[in-house]
Amino acid sequence: MLAQLGPQYHWNQVLYNRWWIAAIALGVSIVATPIVRHIAYRLKVVDRPDALLKPHGRPIAYLGGVAMCVGLLSGLAGYLSVLPNLSALWDGIGGALGAGDVAALLLNPLWNLLFVALAAVAITLVGLLDDLYSIRPGQKILGQLVVAALLLMGGVGTRMGAVFLEPMGLAEVPWLLYPLSGGMVCFAVIICCNATNLLDGLDGLCGGVSAIIGLGFLALAVYLAMWGNTNPEMDALRVSLALAMVGAILGFLPYNTHPASIFMGDAGSMLLGFLVATMMALFCHTGNPRWFMASVVVFAVPVMDTMLAVVRRLLAGRSIFAGDRSHLYDQLIDRGVRLRRVVGLFYLLSLLAAGIGVGAAVYLRTRYALVLHLGLFALVWLIFRRMGVIREEASRTRRAHDVGPTAPVRPAVGSEEEPLNLLFTSVGRRVSLVHEFRRAARDLRVSLTIHAADHLEMAPALQVADHKAIVPSIRTDGYVQAILDYCRTHAIHALIPLIDTELLPLSNAADRFREVGTEPILSSHEVVSIARDKILTAEFLLAHGFLTPRILSPEEFASATYPLFVKPRRGSASQGIRKVNDARELEMFLATHPDSIVQEFIAGQEYTVDVFADLGGTPRCAVPRLRHETRSGEVSKGETVRHARIIDASMRLVRELGGCRGMVTIQCFLTPDGRIVFIEINPRFGGGVPLSIRAGADSPRWILELLLGRDVQIDASAWRDHLLMLRYDEAIFLPADQLPRGNA
């Protein structure tokens, strides 16, 4: 018995010749992750956001799992290179294959290592297929069974059943041992792969928790190796695999912490689950149940979270494979806990589970450890029940208030009891747009409360909103915080900005809004940055094969062909634009408008294209509007025109931008010789968008459906061609003492 003998080695002796395995895996993973991230973006292998399960503000690269796999294999390759008697082990494999000696193969440590590496590659490929093609659950399980078979072929887990048979004295009965072991390996691979896959729901969550689990496994493996009473080759494999696992994860984790620049995807989460299952199988080679039990407890956090989600889905009558927000981390986010705190709490719980698992295995007899673990398991479920997170109707859904176990049952968002709260910022004169959202809500039979914010108390659209907020000017530092505080206080579900100058600061704070339960209907910070800077816009258009007016340098002004067109580099609402007819006029204008760009003048028909992109960034509909007449930068007379080339080019432009969400307003010219020349990208609702909406491109309805989690059916061609809009002034009359003076 281990408890009766002193250790033969000190822990630093066990790690002295192997620590560099973790260092290799760490270094390779750190280098490989940005490389695969670049490849993922180039190939558009990205995870696109939605309003329910994927609240990140822009498409994020997948393939992080590939980087971890490369790091893991590099660490194991380093270990392989220093295996004692390596040539003899290769000869042993050859001899055993030639003689058909299966037992010798399964006991060969090189054979074990090679099949662990092969199975790691295989499970990464299964996950990668799911990332790329969204394969069915049954196909994923089939792939996991193939991986389990590879482990068994490599001699890993062939004695897993011994932990149950050894106490009964039946561990050496082949017809009991091998079928039971095979079933346990298959079960462990399926459960662990899916548990880590389901845990991968927040930035840094699955990776950080798995790294802590790997450290727990390392502690167990080192402790077993210190005593030296088990197979030394198996001791070495356990320690080396745990080191490579921890190193590969830690190399990837800095890129995956919030805000993540790359996701591990199913390729990574399944790889981590596979490594957990492999370590469990290796601990079973001792035949002592305590080490297997300890490994299960170390892995307790993903198991408990998965069990919670499965139980909630079963109680709600849904498939256990259905995507929802049943996980503990989702429920904590929905209760208003900040993302970083949720991830930190899971790290703390994982450390606690690892400490309990390792400590109980080292200091308690197996029977006492079993009683302790069962008691803690029951305690956790009592806590879950007390928190109200087991039954769906007793938990919150998608709101940021009602914290605590006594939170009332919440009705569905969009019902009379809980209306959908929508906030328009810088609402100004957008009365028509507010009315269109109200009309869409009536059509959908949804209860909608419209909140409007502006820094001017006399803004007309403020007067038609249900609730009004006077906020600081966009030019002040307190603007974003004021909007954020309003969203938190009024439980705003979604935010729709309406003018260019607020897009950058709001997009930069998108994650802060999501943390209080507000979904910004806003393109990514990268897209907004390109759109707000006319030089960056021109560079992007040219780089992706679109025509745009050439920007002239000062050296070209004297010899240029006039007229030219001048506009602010970061302008808005057609302010500061001018057509200049000669060099003198240009010089005088630039003297008072130094931050301007000078472009060649484009003659032709001017179009505005309203492109609607869903919350995953996919363009779904485009409506070109011919601008017959404009006033202060907004169209006053317009007409829908079904111009196929403009539609196709605009849809391609939004696809190339990659992070558009909601409405994107694009301006272009159709020149007399048929060229389409793009001049502006504005990722917001344009002033003339009511024309597109009335023509049948019902973007307010689509946004409401997306926010409610409904299946949005969009027919990109089901809008009316040659519909005219003739705008005129209309007024709102109200007593002066009814003007909003604060938040109402």
Side-chain angles (χ1 to χ4, degrees):
M1 293 289 293
L2 292 177
Q4 297 172 338
L5 300 174
Q8 297 184 25
Y9 307 101
H10 194 267
W11 65 267
N12 59 8
Q13 291 177 287
V14 175
L15 293 175
Y16 179 75
N17 290 324
R18 299 187 182 93
W19 65 267
W20 47 266
I21 295 173
I24 291 175
L26 173 73
V28 172
S29 185
I30 287 176
V31 173
T33 300
I35 295 174
V36 299
R37 179 180 60 190
H38 176 73
I39 294 171
Y41 279 125
R42 288 292 299 272
L43 299 179
K44 295 191 177 352
V45 183
V46 295
D47 186 34
R48 299 190 181 278
D50 60 34
L52 180 64
L53 300 179
K54 302 176 180 182
H56 44 282
R58 60 187 176 87
I60 303 294
Y62 270 143
L63 301 187
V66 174
M68 285 194 290
C69 185
V70 172
L72 176 82
L73 295 178
S74 300
L76 294 180
Y79 167 60
L80 173 65
S81 67
V82 296
L83 266 177
N85 304 315
L86 182 59
S87 60
L89 292 174
W90 280 113
D91 292 340
I93 291 175
L97 287 173
D101 189 348
V102 176
L105 276 177
L106 299 183
L107 293 174
N108 188 306
L110 176 58
W111 183 262
N112 303 148
L113 179 63
L114 292 176
F115 269 83
V116 168
L118 179 61
V121 173
I123 196 66
T124 303
L125 291 175
V126 172
L128 188 60
L129 284 174
D130 192 37
D131 291 333
L132 296 175
Y133 304 110
S134 297
I135 61 178
R136 295 190 296 272
Q139 294 173 317
K140 284 191 281 187
I141 290 176
L142 178 61
Q144 292 160 7
L145 289 174
V146 171
V147 169
L150 288 174
L151 282 180
L152 292 167
M153 290 172 60
V156 176
T158 53
R159 292 190 56 81
M160 202 169 183
V163 296
F164 294 113
L165 298 177
E166 184 72 32
M168 297 181 287
L170 300 174
E172 302 307 321
V173 180
W175 62 271
L176 285 175
L177 175 64
Y178 295 125
L180 179 59
S181 297
M184 287 181 65
V185 170
C186 292
F187 183 77
V189 169
I190 291 172
I191 293 299
C192 293
C193 285
N194 286 282
T196 51
N197 180 244
L198 293 173
L199 189 68
D200 187 27
L202 297 178
D203 292 351
L205 179 58
C206 184
V209 167
S210 298
I212 294 169
I213 291 168
L215 290 171
F217 288 161
L218 180 61
L220 290 172
V222 169
Y223 185 80
L224 281 169
M226 286 167 55
W227 289 83
N229 288 337
T230 59
N231 186 324
E233 288 84 6
M234 195 59 63
D235 285 337
L237 180 56
R238 279 191 291 260
V239 172
S240 301
L241 184 59
L243 285 168
M245 172 183 176
V246 172
I249 297 171
L250 292 181
F252 164 76
L253 194 58
Y255 303 96
N256 185 238
T257 53
H258 186 69
S261 64
I262 185 172
F263 292 156
M264 66 175 67
D266 283 9
S269 60
M270 287 191 192
L271 172 64
L272 297 184
F274 158 79
L275 293 173
V276 169
T278 303
M279 290 299 299
M280 288 181 177
L282 292 174
F283 285 122
C284 290
H285 275 255
T286 65
N288 191 328
R290 73 163 61 188
W291 307 111
F292 172 66
M293 188 165 57
S295 66
V296 172
V297 174
V298 169
F299 190 58
V301 169
V303 170
M304 296 296 288
D305 181 72
T306 299
M307 289 179 63
L308 174 64
V310 169
V311 169
R312 278 173 54 88
R313 290 167 186 171
L314 291 174
L315 291 175
R318 291 197 303 272
S319 167
I320 63 173
F321 299 107
D324 59 18
R325 297 185 65 80
S326 293
H327 295 280
L328 179 60
Y329 56 82
D330 283 327
Q331 295 188 61
L332 292 173
I333 291 289
D334 290 346
R335 289 170 182 247
V337 184
R338 295 172 67 90
L339 185 148
R340 293 182 189 275
R341 290 183 180 178
V342 173
V343 174
L345 174 62
F346 269 72
Y347 287 1
L348 181 62
L349 292 174
S350 300
L351 284 169
L352 183 62
I356 291 172
V358 174
V362 172
Y363 296 109
L364 295 180
R365 298 189 65 164
T366 302
R367 69 189 69 172
Y368 300 137
L370 178 60
V371 172
L372 173 66
H373 299 328
L374 291 176
L376 290 174
F377 176 83
L379 177 62
V380 168
W381 278 94
L382 284 173
I383 293 172
F384 282 171
R385 183 175 180 181
R386 179 66 177 166
M387 290 174 63
V389 298
I390 295 178
R391 288 189 177 274
E392 184 167 315
E393 61 268 24
S395 68
R396 300 179 56 266
T397 55
R398 298 292 293 169
R399 291 306 320 129
H401 53 282
D402 296 338
V403 179
T406 59
V409 176
R410 298 220 52 91
V413 173
S415 65
E416 290 295 332
E417 294 82 3
E418 185 174 357
L420 180 66
N421 291 322
L422 201 60
L423 172 63
F424 294 95
T425 56
S426 302
V427 70
R429 300 188 296 116
R430 301 298 188 88
V431 176
S432 295
L433 186 62
V434 171
H435 288 330
E436 291 295 347
F437 271 86
R438 277 223 176 87
R439 185 267 315 155
R442 288 195 302 270
D443 292 347
L444 293 169
R445 298 184 179 179
V446 169
S447 181
L448 174 68
T449 299
I450 292 181
H451 300 249
D454 204 287
H455 74 288
L456 297 174
E457 62 185 21
M458 292 188 183
L462 273 184
Q463 321 313 320
V464 299
D466 299 307
H467 296 278
K468 311 159 182 61
I470 304 300
V471 296
S473 169
I474 299 167
R475 298 178 179 85
T476 65
D477 293 335
Y479 177 73
V480 172
Q481 189 60 49
I483 300 298
L484 187 67
D485 291 342
Y486 187 90
C487 289
R488 182 188 294 109
T489 303
H490 293 81
I492 299 299
H493 294 85
L495 165 72
I496 300 181
L498 294 178
I499 67 170
D500 298 324
T501 49
E502 65 180 339
L503 299 181
L504 267 178
L506 290 178
S507 66
N508 198 38
D511 286 336
R512 295 171 62 194
F513 283 97
R514 293 189 182 96
E515 288 173 0
V516 301
T518 301
E519 182 63 31
I521 308 301
L522 176 63
S523 295
S524 69
H525 189 68
E526 290 77 4
V527 170
V528 174
S529 298
I530 291 170
R532 289 292 295 132
D533 187 323
K534 300 304 184 286
I535 292 179
L536 293 181
T537 300
E539 290 175 349
F540 179 88
L541 290 168
L542 290 172
H544 290 81
F546 298 97
L547 297 179
T548 191
R550 190 171 67 87
I551 298 176
L552 280 68
S553 64
E555 293 77 17
E556 298 177 280
F557 293 166
S559 58
T561 301
Y562 287 82
L564 298 175
F565 195 76
V566 188
K567 61 183 178 181
R569 178 174 179 176
R570 297 176 178 86
S572 177
S574 297
Q575 297 177 358
I577 66 171
R578 182 161 176 171
K579 174 184 174 183
V580 295
N581 296 300
D582 53 47
R584 177 175 173 75
E585 186 180 354
L586 174 61
E587 182 181 0
M588 293 176 62
F589 187 78
L590 291 179
T592 55
H593 299 79
D595 188 26
S596 297
I597 61 171
V598 181
Q599 296 179 309
E600 61 178 327
F601 181 80
I602 302 295
Q605 292 180 319
E606 186 175 2
Y607 282 82
T608 297
V609 189
D610 295 321
V611 183
F612 180 79
D614 61 26
L615 299 184
T618 302
R620 303 289 296 275
C621 181
V623 181
R625 296 186 276 111
L626 178 60
R627 294 161 67 101
H628 288 297
E629 182 179 284
T630 61
R631 183 175 61 181
S632 300
E634 283 193 3
V635 61
S636 56
K637 295 181 176 64
E639 178 185 353
T640 57
V641 178
R642 197 182 304 278
H643 194 293
R645 289 176 51 232
I646 292 179
I647 292 172
D648 292 343
S650 300
M651 295 280 274
R652 183 170 77 86
L653 174 53
V654 171
R655 278 194 297 270
E656 293 290 349
L657 284 167
C660 298
R661 305 171 81 238
M663 188 59 67
V664 182
T665 305
I666 297 170
Q667 288 179 242
C668 65
F669 278 95
L670 181 64
T671 65
D673 59 357
R675 294 178 300 138
I676 300 170
V677 182
F678 289 96
I679 58 172
E680 296 272 353
I681 302 170
N682 296 302
R684 56 165 175 79
F685 278 98
V689 75
L691 173 55
S692 294
I693 296 171
R694 289 300 180 94
D698 199 350
S699 49
R701 180 189 181 105
W702 300 335
I703 287 175
L704 295 181
E705 288 181 314
L706 288 170
L707 292 172
L708 294 169
R710 299 182 182 179
D711 184 24
V712 184
Q713 302 296 324
I714 298 177
D715 185 343
S717 62
W719 50 270
R720 185 175 174 183
D721 195 11
H722 296 299
L723 179 67
L724 276 171
M725 176 181 68
L726 308 175
R727 301 177 81 179
Y728 63 96
D729 288 335
E730 194 172 358
I732 293 173
F733 303 93
L734 72 163
D737 58 3
Q738 290 186 15
L739 279 176
R741 305 295 179 183
N743 295 345

